[in-house]
Amino acid sequence: MTNPAVSSSRGSRMAKQLYVGPRPVGSVENEVLTVNYLLEQVEQIRSESIAGPHAITLDLQRPTGSFSIKNVISYYDRITNIAVRLEPKDGAQHFMLANCHFDSVANSPGASDDAVSCAVMLEVLRSLASLSSPLTHGVIFLFNGAEENVLQASHGFITQHPWAKQVKAFVNLEAAGVGGKEVVFQTGPENPWLVQAYVHAAVHPFASVVGQEIFQSGIIPSETDFRIYRDFGNIPGIDLAFIENGFLYHTKYDTADRILTDSIQRAGDNILALLKHLLMSEKLADSSEYRHGNMVFFDVLGVVAVAYPARVGTIINYMAVMATFLYLAKKNKGKCGHYLRDLALGSCVALLSWFATLLSVLIVALVLTLAGCSMFWYSHFSVAIALYGSAAAAKILLVHTLAKNLYYGVSIVELGELFFDVSLLLWCCVLLCLTLRGLCSAYVPMLMVAFPLATKLLLSSHFRCRGASVPYAVLYLLGLTLPYVHLMFLIWVVFEIFCPILGRSGTKIPPEVVLACLVTLAIILLSSYFMHFIYLARSSRRVLTILGSLFAVMLLLVSSGLIFPYSSDPDRPRPKRIIIQHTTRTFHTLNGLVEHEDSGLWINSCDYTGMSYITPHIPEINDTIRTQRHDDLPFGGFPGYLPLPFLIKKSWYLPVPAASPKSPLEFRLVSKQVTEWGTIKMSFEAKGPSHMSLYLRPNTGVSLSSWSFGNNTPQSNFIFYSHGLGAPAWHFWLEIQPPSEPSAEKGLISVAVSCHYFGEAHRTPQLDALLGRFPAWSFPSSWVSSYHMFRY
C-alpha cells in the first residue's frame, strides 16, 4: 500500500480559498459559495481517483429537526451537510466518520474555526483516495454547515442521514484558538481502543486526559460536535482542537494567513495516520469486546504518547501510595511517634503557607479589581506572572522562613529531610483522593510521588552527609526533571486555554480572582519539592528582597495604569470584545395593540472591564445609559442571541432611530383551542431571518405541558431557531396548563421573538457611524436585531 502524504501548501491554499467572508448559517457565503467550493474539490478528488480501488459517493443533505442541549432547545430547518463516502469498490459495512464544520460565527472569517479543518479533511480524503490498495473499512467525511448554531448540522446527520447507522466511531476536528498544535482533549466515552489507536498511529502526538476531565467537568463554557455524536448517536470518538492564541478565536483576526503551514501539516499527518490505522483495524468492525473502561493518556513533549488502562493506573497509583507509606513508616520506626508528630506539624506549616499565600494574592487581585485595573495582563501575561507569582513565592518563602526560626536547635539537614517528606506526603494525599474519585488525571500526582521518592532513596546517603551541596542539588533536580517538565507543560496548557476565555467571560466573574488563583496554584505545585531547600539554605533574606522588590515594582506599574490591557498590534493583537445590536423593541398588550416601542444600540461587554476603556473614546457610552434586565419580561426584555446571562449582566442602551431590516418578522397566532383534558393548545407561525430566538415566560400558576419541539417535553424556556436557504415559515405549537383561577389582566403566557440580521445588507448608518469611532484595539461584533413581545 502506497502512502500518499498530506500537502500542507495545498491545504493552506484551500484554507485561503475558503475565505469568502463570514459564513453564518443562511448566508449566501455559507449556503452557496462555500458549498460550491467544497463540492468542486470533492468532485476533483473523485475524478483523479476514479481508476483507484475506492469509490467516492457524494451526498448533499438539508435536514430539519430539533433537540435539547443544556438549557437550549435548538430547532433547525434546511441547513446544509456535505457528506462524502469513501469505501472499497466492493463496498464496506463499517465506517469511520471524520467531521468538521464550514460555517462561522458572524463577523469572523473563521479560518481556524473551522475552515482549516475543512482543508485538512480534503487533503486526507485526497490521500486516502490515492491509495493503491483498498482499505478494509469505509470512511465518511462530513463537512457540516451549522456547528456554530448550537451544533445543529451534526445532529441532523447523525439522527437522519441513512449513512449514520453504519458509523462505528468518529474523529472531530475543532478549534479554540488560531493555529498551533491540535490537542486531543476528549475521547470515548470509554472505548479505550480509540486512545490506543491514536497512541499507536499519531505522528506528532499531543494529548492529555487532564484536558478531557477539565473539559467534561463543564468549567469551560463550550461544546463541540463530539457531544452530539456521543449523546444522540451513541458512538465513541476523538475530539481534537487547535488551542494556541485563543485571543483571536471568533474575531476578525482569525484569518488564514495566521495559520502556519506546519499546523496544517501536523494535523494532516496525524489525522491521515489515525484514519488509516482505524480503517484497517478489526476493532472497528466489532468494538463491543473492547468498549469498556477508560484510559490514562498523555504525551511527553510531543515526542511519544503514553496510554494504559485506567484499572492499571489505579494499581500503579495505589502502589505509589503504599511505597510512600512504607517509606514514612520506616522513618518513624524506633522514634516513638516523634517523627509522625514532626511530619504532621510540618504538613500544617506547609498547608498554612499555601492558605496564607492564596489569601494574600486574592487580596491583591481584589484591590486591583476595585481600583479599575482589571485585565492588565491581557496583552502582557508576563506581568501577571511577575506580580502574582512573586507575591505567591514570597509569601511561601516568608512563612517557611518564620517557621524555620521556630525549629531552634534542629539541624538544617534534618529540617530539609523533614520537609521533603512533607511534600511527598501531601502529594500522596492528592494522589489518593483523585484515585478514590476514579479520575484518570491522578497520574500527575503519581508522577510527583514516584520520581521524587525514587530520587530520594537513591540520594539518601548523599543527603545526610552533605546537605544542600551543589552535587546533591544537581542530582536532586535531575531526578525531578520528568515530572516537573510534564507539570509545567500542563500548567502552560491551562494558561493557554483559560487566559483567552477570561476575555470573553462577561462582566459577572472578576478575572483577576480567577487568574490569581491559577498563578498561585501553579506556584504552590511547582514549589512543593523545593520547600526543603528553604530549610537547607543559610538565609533567604536576599531572595525575599528580590521577590518583594519585583512585586512592588509590578504593583506600582499596574496600579498607575501604565500597562494597557488591549493591543491592536497586527502581529500580536489582543482585542477587547464587544457585542453591539441595533435593535428595535416592540411590546404588545393582550389585545394585540402596541404597548411600547423603542429602538437603540444595545451594547454588551464580553469582559469584566465593561465600557471603562471605551467611554474616553465614545463619551455617549457611559454609565448614564446602563440598563437593567426586566425580570418580568422574557429574557429581560432584550434580544439575547443565546441564553448567556454572564454576557448581559451589565449592558448599555443608547437610543437611536429604528432600523428597517429586510425580512421583518411576521408572527401570528394561527389557532387556539381547549383540549379535552383541559389544557390550551396554541399554534403559531413565524417568518423572518435565518436566526431567531423564542423566549417563553408562563405567568404565575401557568405551566407548559407539551410542545412541538424535541421529544415534546418542555425542558427550557429558550428556543434557538435557524434555517438555510429556501426554508418555509416556522410552525410550532405550545400546550399550556392554565391556573385554577385565570387572570384576565395578565393572560397565560408572554412570548417574545428576537430576530437577528447578519451581513452587510443589513447594516444601518447609525451602527456604522458608531463602529467607526471604536478604537483599533477593540473588536465590536455587530448586527441588526429586533425584539417583539406578545401576551396571550
Side-chain angles (χ1 to χ4, degrees):
M1 181 182 293
T2 58
N3 187 24
V6 168
S7 169
S8 59
S9 59
R10 186 166 51 212
S12 179
R13 185 172 64 252
M14 287 191 292
K16 293 177 181 178
Q17 290 170 346
L18 276 166
Y19 175 64
V20 291
R23 305 176 300 278
V25 170
S27 66
V28 172
E29 290 81 2
N30 190 68
E31 310 297 335
V32 178
L33 300 181
T34 304
V35 168
N36 288 343
Y37 177 80
L38 291 172
L39 292 177
E40 289 172 4
Q41 293 299 312
V42 173
E43 287 293 348
Q44 181 181 344
I45 294 172
R46 180 159 62 177
S47 64
E48 292 172 354
S49 61
I50 195 168
H54 297 101
I56 296 179
T57 308
L58 177 64
D59 185 67
L60 190 64
Q61 185 196 21
R62 309 276 190 185
T64 297
S66 65
F67 62 99
S68 173
I69 180 171
K70 286 190 172 181
N71 59 338
V72 178
I73 303 298
S74 184
Y75 186 98
Y76 53 91
D77 193 4
R78 291 186 59 77
I79 56 175
T80 305
N81 277 326
I82 299 174
V84 183
R85 175 171 168 147
L86 182 143
E87 60 186 325
K89 286 187 175 178
D90 57 355
Q93 293 182 333
H94 311 288
F95 285 82
M96 277 292 299
L97 173 68
N99 175 81
C100 69
H101 67 93
F102 57 83
D103 66 312
S104 74
V105 295
N107 303 304
S108 174
S112 70
D113 187 25
D114 197 25
V116 67
S117 295
C118 294
V120 168
M121 277 190 23
L122 286 171
E123 274 300 287
V124 172
L125 171 62
R126 188 189 307 273
S127 297
L128 291 176
S130 301
L131 292 173
S132 58
S133 301
L135 297 164
T136 303
H137 309 294
V139 56
I140 297 169
F141 291 88
L142 179 65
F143 303 86
N144 84 63
E147 189 272 347
E148 300 293 356
N149 284 21
V150 202
L151 318 176
Q152 292 175 337
S154 55
H155 181 270
F157 174 82
I158 205 64
T159 59
Q160 300 177 41
H161 201 286
W163 294 353
K165 297 177 181 179
Q166 294 177 284
V167 173
K168 302 300 180 182
F170 69 90
V171 176
N172 182 48
L173 283 72
E174 256 295 349
V178 178
K181 301 177 180 179
E182 81 292 346
V183 61
V184 174
F185 66 99
Q186 281 194 103
T187 65
E190 297 190 323
N191 287 272
W193 61 278
L194 279 173
V195 178
Q196 292 170 334
Y198 178 84
V199 169
H200 181 272
V203 183
H204 315 285
F206 186 32
S208 174
V209 73
V210 177
Q212 172 174 291
E213 292 183 340
I214 290 176
F215 189 85
Q216 293 181 351
S217 70
I219 295 176
I220 299 177
S222 182
E223 289 286 358
T224 71
D225 286 323
F226 181 97
R227 175 166 181 170
I228 297 297
Y229 297 130
R230 179 194 67 192
D231 294 354
F232 293 94
N234 194 29
I235 54 176
I238 296 178
D239 214 358
L240 304 99
F242 297 105
I243 62 169
E244 290 186 18
N245 208 358
F247 300 97
L248 313 185
Y249 170 73
H250 282 188
T251 71
K252 65 182 179 181
Y253 297 104
D254 184 10
T255 54
D257 60 297
R258 296 184 183 276
I259 301 172
L260 301 177
T261 55
D262 287 347
S263 297
I264 297 174
Q265 190 69 58
R266 277 182 49 90
D269 290 344
N270 281 340
I271 300 302
L272 177 61
L274 177 60
L275 284 178
K276 285 181 64 178
H277 177 83
L278 289 169
L279 293 173
M280 300 299 292
S281 171
E282 296 179 357
K283 295 179 180 179
L284 185 66
D286 183 13
S287 62
S288 57
E289 61 179 298
Y290 314 103
R291 184 172 54 200
H292 301 291
N294 291 314
M295 292 287 286
V296 177
F297 61 91
F298 57 94
D299 72 279
V300 181
L301 300 179
V303 177
V304 63
V306 178
Y308 49 87
R311 62 182 181 276
V312 174
T314 301
I315 296 172
I316 295 173
N317 295 346
Y318 283 132
M319 288 175 63
V321 171
M322 289 178 62
T324 301
F325 284 122
L326 287 173
Y327 162 79
L328 296 176
K330 185 177 179 181
K331 294 286 287 290
N332 183 59
K333 187 176 181 180
K335 295 185 179 180
C336 302
H338 295 300
Y339 172 77
L340 292 181
R341 181 199 60 196
D342 294 340
L343 188 64
L345 180 60
S347 299
C348 290
V349 171
L351 292 173
L352 176 63
S353 71
W354 296 346
F355 175 78
T357 299
L358 181 60
L359 183 62
S360 300
V361 179
L362 282 178
I363 290 173
V364 174
L366 288 172
V367 169
L368 291 175
T369 300
L370 294 174
C373 300
S374 187
M375 301 287 293
F376 68 89
W377 44 266
Y378 200 60
S379 290
H380 311 277
F381 182 66
S382 58
V383 177
I385 296 297
L387 177 68
Y388 296 134
S390 63
K395 192 68 175 184
I396 291 175
L397 183 59
L398 177 62
V399 173
H400 283 287
T401 300
L402 295 175
K404 180 180 177 181
N405 296 330
L406 298 177
Y407 284 99
Y408 183 76
V410 183
S411 72
I412 61 171
V413 173
E414 290 177 352
L415 284 178
E417 187 156 358
L418 173 65
F419 276 88
F420 172 88
D421 295 345
V422 166
S423 301
L424 186 67
L425 176 63
L426 293 175
W427 272 111
C428 186
C429 292
V430 174
L431 170 61
L432 186 59
C433 290
L434 295 184
T435 303
L436 290 173
R437 293 194 61 185
L439 295 175
C440 295
S441 301
Y443 85 88
V444 178
M446 183 275 294
L447 295 176
M448 298 299 291
V449 168
F451 280 84
L453 178 57
T455 300
K456 177 62 170 60
L457 293 175
L458 291 173
L459 298 178
S460 57
S461 59
H462 197 112
F463 185 99
R464 286 193 296 270
C465 296
R466 304 189 183 182
S469 65
V470 173
Y472 164 74
V474 172
L475 293 173
Y476 180 80
L477 293 175
L478 284 175
L480 298 181
T481 298
L482 180 60
Y484 261 80
V485 167
H486 188 69
L487 182 61
M488 288 189 287
F489 168 73
L490 291 177
I491 290 171
W492 169 79
V493 171
V494 168
F495 284 122
E496 188 75 34
I497 293 174
F498 278 95
C499 288
I501 287 177
L502 292 175
R504 55 180 189 270
S505 296
T507 56
K508 190 175 182 180
I509 301 175
E512 299 310 307
V513 172
V514 178
L515 187 64
C517 288
L518 290 176
V519 173
T520 303
L521 180 60
I523 295 297
I524 288 173
L525 294 178
L526 294 174
S527 68
S528 57
Y529 281 109
F530 291 89
M531 281 193 301
H532 80 295
F533 277 119
I534 300 173
Y535 296 88
L536 294 175
R538 293 179 181 176
S539 174
S540 55
R541 183 177 302 173
R542 181 179 299 177
V543 178
L544 275 172
T545 301
I546 294 173
L547 291 174
S549 301
L550 178 61
F551 171 74
V553 171
M554 290 298 105
L555 184 62
L556 182 63
L557 285 174
V558 171
S559 59
S560 65
L562 294 177
I563 301 178
F564 191 69
Y566 311 105
S567 170
S568 59
D569 182 354
D571 295 326
R572 195 173 174 272
R574 295 291 185 269
K576 174 180 173 57
R577 299 167 187 252
I578 303 161
I579 298 175
I580 307 174
Q581 298 181 48
H582 186 176
T583 187
T584 301
R585 304 190 302 166
T586 307
F587 302 86
H588 296 82
T589 62
L590 268 174
N591 57 14
L593 298 178
V594 175
E595 179 181 35
H596 173 74
E597 188 172 18
D598 62 41
S599 60
L601 298 171
W602 187 42
I603 306 168
N604 292 275
S605 171
C606 292
D607 68 33
Y608 193 80
T609 63
M611 294 293 118
S612 59
Y613 290 101
I614 300 298
T615 300
H617 297 267
I618 311 176
E620 302 96 299
I621 304 178
N622 55 61
D623 284 347
T624 64
I625 62 168
R626 276 274 301 275
T627 185
Q628 300 292 331
R629 286 168 48 90
H630 301 280
D631 293 335
D632 58 333
L633 298 175
F635 208 72
F638 286 96
Y641 182 65
L642 285 171
L644 302 173
F646 63 87
L647 280 182
I648 59 174
K649 182 184 178 184
K650 298 177 184 177
S651 62
W652 292 256
Y653 195 61
L654 181 64
V656 296
S660 301
K662 299 177 182 179
S663 306
L665 176 68
E666 300 175 20
F667 187 81
R668 67 188 183 96
L669 175 65
V670 177
S671 65
K672 178 180 179 181
Q673 59 186 22
V674 179
T675 66
E676 57 186 55
W677 42 85
T679 60
I680 298 175
K681 185 175 183 179
M682 299 183 188
S683 298
F684 299 89
E685 179 184 89
K687 191 169 181 63
S690 59
H691 293 73
M692 294 189 285
S693 299
L694 179 68
Y695 325 103
L696 308 175
R697 185 176 178 82
N699 290 331
T700 305
V702 179
S703 62
L704 288 169
S705 59
S706 185
W707 59 12
S708 57
F709 306 114
N711 61 2
N712 297 119
T713 302
Q715 300 172 337
S716 170
N717 289 340
F718 185 96
I719 296 92
F720 178 84
Y721 166 88
S722 71
H723 69 70
L725 299 179
W730 181 24
H731 292 90
F732 62 91
W733 54 263
L734 310 172
E735 195 170 313
I736 300 171
Q737 181 67 53
S740 55
E741 297 181 3
S743 172
E745 297 180 357
K746 296 183 179 180
L748 298 173
I749 189 171
S750 297
V751 177
V753 183
S754 69
C755 301
H756 300 272
Y757 302 86
F758 302 120
E760 293 297 326
H762 299 287
R763 311 298 297 181
T764 65
Q766 296 84 3
L767 189 55
D768 287 337
L770 184 68
L771 292 177
R773 300 174 61 189
F774 274 89
W777 43 260
S778 64
F779 172 63
S781 183
S782 60
W783 62 89
V784 172
S785 66
S786 64
Y787 178 95
H788 303 262
M789 195 201 74
F790 307 87
R791 302 181 191 271
Y792 299 99

